[in-house]
Amino acid sequence: MTIAEYSKEKILYMLELAKEFEAKPNRHLLDGKVVATLFFEPSTRTRLSFETAANRLGARVIGFSDPKATSSSKGETLKDTVKMVSNYADIIVMRHYLEGAPRYASEVTSVPIVNAGDGSNQHPSQTMLDLYSIYKTQGTLDGLNIFLVGDLKYGRTVHSLLMAMRHFNPTFHFIAPEELRMPEEYKIYCRQQGIRYVEHSEFSEESIAGADILYMTRVQRERFTDLMEYERVKNVYILRAKMLEKTRPNMRILHPLPRVNEIAYDVDESPKAYYFQQARNGLYAREAILCDVLGISLDEVRRDRVEAQGK
Ligand code: CP
């Protein structure tokens, strides 16, 4: 539901699980299970990677990507929709435009609910793949300089990421225009958890030179009530290849995607651009989540691989 519920040990355990699935994505661990994907908001990566994860693990997938094609367009409530789908599925992966909707759903059913993003609030499965990507590229999660750039107000991925990193002694740099600054509640959270952070509005070659991870985000048009304000800020920060010259050799650029204008296409050629591999890591992280939530342990997953090698 939220990454804040995960201990350091649990996060490291999940990364080990993801590593297992990267070594061997195709398994029969979820044969006979049904995974429902209920997406009340658009998605490419999250829905398709959860569905791919389910398919690669032997499960069947039901669900929808457009609520207009369901009875919620006739007025069926979220509660009734969830109770109905619970009759058919072993696990429900849900994205919703309302903050707290997956939490609410979990209160009306005993079938496990996975939060695939709720409004501007949280995106915990994205954070699992972000952590896996950071760990793979940096060799550690500890003591990193993480620069979060762009829409820090509405971007749920940055909210989840900073909560998860509380275990790993990070220094955050929040780079955002005035209108899209990190909300006060997350800054209070940082202070309570002893997380160092610095706020900037300048985005330049100099200001990103100390980053280990440069986490770019899209300005979330769909969250603005005032579209004039969106127009004012939408192109405020654009990362270009020439801005990377002074960055650290092992620095990596992450982005939850989709991008709009915030990363120029010339950056894609840089070895520091990691966002497409990051999205691929989503498959392994989500295989780990499905198995964990459905009660399959790391030991079972490891045993499955050893047995497969022995055949
Ligand atoms: N990163 C992410 O949530 O992408 P989608 O909206 O395409 O699922």
Side-chain angles (χ1 to χ4, degrees):
M1 204 54 65
T2 162
I3 201 82
E5 291 163 352
Y6 273 23
S7 65
K8 179 174 185 176
E9 291 68 34
K10 180 72 180 187
I11 287 173
L12 296 174
Y13 173 91
M14 294 300 289
L15 299 187
E16 282 300 311
L17 258 182
K19 198 168 144 191
E20 278 294 320
F21 288 116
E22 179 162 12
K24 183 173 184 282
N26 294 343
R27 318 250 186 164
H28 291 283
L29 294 166
L30 297 186
D31 279 359
K33 299 286 186 196
V34 174
V35 176
T37 55
L38 311 188
F39 276 66
F40 292 86
E41 255 195 349
S43 167
T44 297
R45 278 145 291 274
T46 309
R47 186 174 66 82
L48 294 181
S49 61
F50 264 119
E51 293 187 357
T52 306
N55 280 301
R56 290 197 179 276
L57 291 166
R60 304 284 177 90
V61 178
I62 61 169
F64 55 82
S65 57
D66 181 357
K68 286 205 281 298
T70 74
S71 287
S72 63
S73 65
K74 303 176 202 162
E76 187 162 53
T77 61
L78 179 62
K79 179 179 179 179
D80 286 0
T81 302
V82 168
K83 287 181 93 61
M84 285 308 102
V85 176
S86 300
N87 288 325
Y88 315 134
D90 299 289
I91 182 169
I92 296 173
V93 178
M94 180 193 291
R95 170 170 289 186
H96 206 284
Y97 49 86
L98 289 179
E99 295 185 13
R103 168 87 61 195
Y104 171 73
S106 73
E107 287 165 6
V108 302
T109 179
S110 55
V111 171
I113 305 280
V114 176
N115 180 3
D118 60 327
S120 303
N121 186 31
Q122 296 283 311
H123 197 345
S125 70
Q126 176 73 40
T127 299
M128 286 312 309
L129 76 94
D130 291 345
L131 294 173
Y132 189 53
S133 300
I134 294 169
Y135 189 75
K136 272 178 71 176
T137 60
Q138 305 299 311
T140 181
L141 292 176
D142 283 300
L144 298 172
N145 291 309
I146 301 182
F147 286 50
L148 305 178
V149 182
D151 186 348
L152 308 188
K153 180 177 179 183
Y154 298 115
R156 56 194 171 200
T157 66
V158 294
H159 301 158
S160 289
L161 182 60
L162 82 79
M163 288 181 142
M165 288 304 295
R166 75 190 186 282
H167 302 298
F168 303 103
N169 190 32
T171 301
F172 278 107
H173 291 255
F174 301 151
I175 305 183
E178 186 60 31
E179 297 87 337
L180 298 177
R181 286 174 65 176
M182 184 63 79
E184 199 54 35
E185 66 185 281
Y186 291 103
K187 289 190 276 185
I188 291 170
Y189 182 85
C190 286
R191 293 196 288 273
Q192 285 171 342
Q193 299 290 330
I195 299 172
R196 290 178 298 280
Y197 69 86
V198 187
E199 289 190 274
H200 317 252
S201 55
E202 188 198 328
F203 181 58
S204 64
E205 196 175 338
E206 285 70 32
S207 71
I208 62 172
D212 297 306
I213 293 292
L214 183 61
Y215 195 102
M216 300 295 297
T217 64
R218 172 180 69 91
V219 177
Q220 311 249 313
R221 183 180 189 278
E222 63 276 27
R223 311 272 177 233
F224 282 75
T225 46
D226 177 356
L227 283 184
M228 296 282 280
E229 187 171 304
Y230 169 73
E231 289 298 324
R232 254 197 325 276
V233 294
K234 67 177 185 185
N235 290 329
V236 69
Y237 299 140
I238 300 176
L239 182 67
R240 300 184 193 284
K242 64 178 176 347
M243 290 172 68
L244 300 175
E245 281 166 18
K246 292 185 182 158
T247 54
R248 294 180 172 180
N250 199 38
M251 187 276 274
R252 289 294 176 272
I253 303 156
L254 303 187
H255 190 312
L257 303 176
R259 72 171 146 185
V260 184
N261 285 327
E262 60 280 359
I263 299 181
Y265 286 101
D266 62 2
V267 177
D268 295 358
E269 308 310 318
S270 167
K272 295 178 179 176
Y274 193 74
Y275 27 92
F276 294 119
Q277 294 100 312
Q278 178 190 359
R280 184 177 181 84
N281 291 336
L283 169 62
Y284 315 129
R286 288 173 173 129
E287 288 191 84
I289 291 167
L290 291 178
C291 280
D292 185 60
V293 173
L294 288 169
I296 292 167
S297 70
L298 178 58
D299 281 348
E300 284 171 86
V301 174
R302 283 189 173 142
R303 221 171 20 248
D304 170 75
R305 185 151 70 97
V306 171
E307 282 166 8
Q309 280 167 349
K311 279 183 188 159

